Amino acid sequence: MLENNAIILDLKFPRAGIVAALKNAFPGREVIDMGDPANAGRNLSDFPYAVVWKPDPSLFEKAGDLKVIFSGGAGVDHILSAYELPDLPVVRFVDRSLTDRMSEWVVLQCLTHLRGALVYQRQQRDHVWNELSPQPEARDVTVGVMGLGVLGEDAVKKLKVMGFDVVGWSRRKRQIDGIETFDAEGLDAFLARTDILVGLLPLTAETRGLYGATLFRKLRQGGALGKPVFINAGRGGSQVEADIVAALRDGVLGGASLDVFETEPLSADSPLWDLDNVVITPHAAAASDVEALFRHVERQIARFESGKPLEHVVDRAAGY
Ligand code: NDP
Ligand code: OXD
């Protein structure tokens, strides 16, 4: 057992959820909640654990004796890319509720584009009764998922249950029952099969700016939806928004659903807001449930303090 077993929290999440979840979390440990103004200026130099989401830039300098850093979300780009991090284990958040929510969002967006929901919404607003025909079935449409990690693997399985033809792409070749998979080398073949592209990649040096004009032109044209659709809930830094807008205007893409953006919040003057065939959600595809996050941190600290290996440790070289 460490002499000081306290936890620093620096989570830029809604306060009410944090305060409520803290009532029953971390028994027997001091929690220094940096969201509480009473802790401003507190000496953080000898605390072993930090749980962070977009932390204050000076946190890692001030907390010089950390042993483990816990990310408040599944993605870790908010810490890996922004700070000179000490060489410590970074544990990311992996949780059933987060995974389920992401798959709900992905399936919803694929069905939205499959069933012409945006067109029907406009028609309803204009009091127009007009059936879109022909209506393709899910089995006529290939959804290609980029990123087959915790979230991508769950999403491909649930898309399959909905009847879609599903293919997947990841850095290393993955085996998933019933899903044709491609590795990094197979990108062009994967894109040529894909009618609806779903991005569930982490943001790393390799994935930055990946979803741009060159990639969109490689997607299948003339499939059951006519034009390909781009859906992204990974990270906005992987997409080039000017290219998305141009591809939608030029008919290279037929639609898009975006939960993440190059800069968040999305600027009020972005042309994306006003394109008919675009769904925008405010980085809300799969929010972290704070109670579940604290339970996950408690489990990992218990492992760490009893000498067991931590789970979900980020590969710092790969960046995710
Ligand atoms: P994982 O680390 O479990 O999976 C990442 C996947 O991406 C792996 O399959 C990995 O390949 C693949 N990958 C990484 N880099 C490359 C690359 N250069 N080329 C090809 N494939 C690559 O992450 P999760 O599934 O848990 O989460 C994915 C991302 O989703 C998070 O990093 C976060 O950015 C985002 N997210 C967004 C949320 C939202 O609300 N919008 C909520 C939660 C997460 P391999 O299998 O070979 O390692
Ligand atoms: C995450 C996110 O990474 O919410 O968990 O984006």
Side-chain angles (χ1 to χ4, degrees):
M1 183 67 128
L2 297 167
E3 209 168 286
N4 184 342
N5 67 3
I7 300 175
I8 303 167
L9 286 190
D10 190 353
L11 292 169
K12 306 299 186 311
F13 292 160
R15 286 298 299 156
I18 296 177
V19 172
L22 275 177
K23 288 200 178 111
N24 297 313
F26 307 121
R29 285 176 203 279
E30 187 187 4
V31 176
I32 300 101
D33 177 5
M34 300 310 289
D36 178 348
N39 286 319
R42 178 92 186 251
N43 179 355
L44 303 177
S45 61
D46 58 356
F47 300 126
Y49 308 117
V51 186
V52 301
W53 181 252
K54 303 183 178 168
D56 189 279
S58 63
L59 181 84
F60 299 111
E61 221 174 284
K62 289 182 186 154
D65 203 24
L66 288 179
K67 304 284 182 277
V68 186
I69 298 167
F70 295 92
S71 168
V76 290
D77 52 293
H78 67 108
I79 34 181
L80 293 196
S81 59
Y83 307 90
E84 281 293 317
L85 272 196
D87 188 18
L88 295 173
V90 175
V91 174
R92 67 192 199 92
F93 185 35
V94 172
D95 173 60
R96 178 207 56 78
S97 77
L98 189 145
T99 305
D100 284 350
R101 284 172 212 211
M102 179 58 85
S103 292
E104 287 166 8
W105 186 90
V106 168
V107 171
L108 172 69
Q109 301 312 321
C110 290
L111 290 174
T112 292
H113 293 283
L114 172 72
R115 298 305 303 258
L118 298 178
V119 177
Y120 282 129
Q121 219 164 48
R122 284 196 297 279
Q123 290 189 175
Q124 178 177 343
R125 198 187 51 216
D126 298 340
H127 300 198
V128 171
W129 181 278
N130 172 45
E131 184 180 349
L132 299 177
S133 178
Q135 169 59 62
E137 286 180 68
R139 63 187 298 160
D140 303 326
V141 171
T142 302
V143 180
V145 177
M146 294 181 83
L148 295 174
V150 173
L151 301 182
E153 177 166 355
D154 193 66
V156 294
K157 289 176 178 163
K158 289 174 179 165
L159 288 163
K160 190 84 189 164
V161 169
M162 286 313 303
F164 287 102
D165 177 47
V166 185
V167 296
W169 181 78
S170 53
R171 198 157 63 95
R172 299 160 291 193
K173 177 89 171 156
R174 296 286 317 277
Q175 295 291 343
I176 304 175
D177 275 356
I179 312 287
E180 189 180 350
T181 57
F182 298 80
D183 64 10
E185 303 302 308
L187 180 60
D188 286 2
F190 161 85
L191 295 171
R193 285 278 308 277
T194 295
D195 302 307
I196 299 181
L197 181 68
V198 175
L200 286 175
L201 287 170
L203 180 61
T204 67
E206 286 181 22
T207 65
R208 185 171 290 283
L210 182 63
Y211 309 121
T214 309
L215 181 144
F216 298 142
R217 275 196 298 273
K218 292 179 179 170
L219 292 166
R220 172 155 66 190
Q221 288 287 338
L225 299 178
K227 292 172 186 165
V229 168
F230 174 57
I231 293 174
N232 190 17
R235 279 292 180 267
S238 299
Q239 72 200 16
V240 182
E241 280 155 27
D243 289 2
I244 298 174
V245 171
L248 287 162
R249 286 183 173 150
D250 299 348
V252 173
L253 289 175
S257 292
L258 305 172
D259 183 59
V260 288
F261 299 89
E262 285 173 55
T263 302
E264 295 178 4
L266 180 63
S267 152
D269 60 8
S270 167
L272 286 166
W273 291 106
D274 297 314
L275 292 172
D276 274 351
N277 40 1
V278 175
V279 174
I280 289 176
T281 53
H283 201 137
S288 295
D289 173 311
V290 185
E291 286 183 18
L293 170 65
F294 290 171
R295 283 195 299 272
H296 146 90
V297 172
E298 278 171 355
R299 264 194 314 275
Q300 294 307 319
I301 289 180
R303 290 180 68 89
F304 182 72
E305 292 182 348
S306 63
K308 293 190 186 139
L310 290 162
E311 297 168 311
H312 316 303
V313 175
V314 170
D315 174 346
R316 296 278 290 270
Y320 67 96

